[in-house]
Amino acid sequence: MQVVVGRIVKPHGIRGELAVDVRTDSPEERFAPGAVLTGKDRDGRARPLTVAAVRPHGGRLLVRFSEIPDRTAAEEVRGVTLWVDVADLPPIDDPDEFYDHELEGLRAELVDGTVVGTVREVVHSPGGELLAVEVEEPEGRREVLVPFVMAIVPRVEVGEGRVVLDPPEGLLEA
């Protein structure tokens, strides 16, 4: 299994550097020189990309990959998503922190045990993390964004396959 650690936004300069939006709490480990990431394009084609150099730049990282020698090659990987194998991720010591892949697919229940849906994705927004919960209804499915804060998500029980929600009135209504 693999998880997303970043996305290539655009080329930077003429030497093949790429502006990367980071999607990991450990960029110094994931983007360390010598690290090998999997780059996947929109069509699902994958290729290994070896970090040759990295530096911060305006809230992003500028990364040079060994396989991308110049601006022309850099243009070809615009929009590529960067992945790492789950097995390569270090364990998390804090019991209140989770990798996105640990939350995705968990059953979402209310505090009384009523199942409301399934966590499909963790959305990273400027205001904080949101759980994208797919809610099943008689008319079909819809997505609800639930703020991933202790007051609304008081328990995460990965071993039991669930997150417990205590939403404010109206949050789950259509």
Side-chain angles (χ1 to χ4, degrees):
M1 174 183 216
Q2 293 188 316
V3 295
V4 174
V5 294
R7 185 170 92 31
I8 297 173
V9 179
K10 62 182 181 176
H12 180 84
I14 60 171
R15 296 187 186 140
E17 269 189 317
L18 295 152
V20 173
D21 276 340
V22 176
R23 296 284 180 245
T24 176
D25 289 339
S26 305
E28 64 285 344
E29 293 175 32
R30 302 295 143 250
F31 293 94
V36 179
L37 306 174
T38 300
K40 292 184 184 176
D41 65 19
R42 289 181 189 92
D43 296 329
R45 291 182 301 241
R47 65 191 265 185
L49 294 170
T50 307
V51 177
V54 63
R55 62 188 173 105
H57 179 74
R60 293 181 170 146
L61 291 180
L62 292 180
V63 182
R64 203 167 38 78
F65 295 103
S66 300
E67 298 81 0
I68 310 295
D70 56 30
R71 174 131 188 148
T72 302
E75 285 290 350
E76 294 173 10
V77 294
R78 181 189 293 259
V80 164
T81 305
L82 302 169
W83 300 73
V84 295
D85 288 323
V86 170
D88 294 337
L89 298 174
I92 298 176
D93 296 330
D94 187 339
D96 292 327
E97 287 189 24
F98 306 92
Y99 287 118
D100 291 0
H101 72 275
E102 293 177 302
L103 301 172
E104 294 165 353
L106 294 182
R107 187 176 62 253
E109 300 179 0
L110 298 176
V111 290
D112 68 5
T114 304
V115 176
V116 295
T118 305
V119 177
R120 289 291 167 223
E121 180 184 6
V122 178
V123 178
H124 299 274
S125 74
E129 281 70 37
L130 301 165
L131 299 180
V133 177
E134 185 177 81
V135 177
E136 297 260 352
E137 296 180 332
E139 331 50 77
R141 297 177 184 181
R142 67 183 173 88
E143 183 177 271
V144 176
L145 295 176
V146 176
F148 190 38
V149 295
M150 187 69 75
I152 299 173
V153 186
R155 289 195 320 262
V156 175
E157 299 171 345
V158 174
E160 285 78 42
R162 70 181 185 154
V163 295
V164 176
L165 307 178
D166 188 9
E169 189 173 326
L171 181 66
L172 300 179
E173 276 81 48

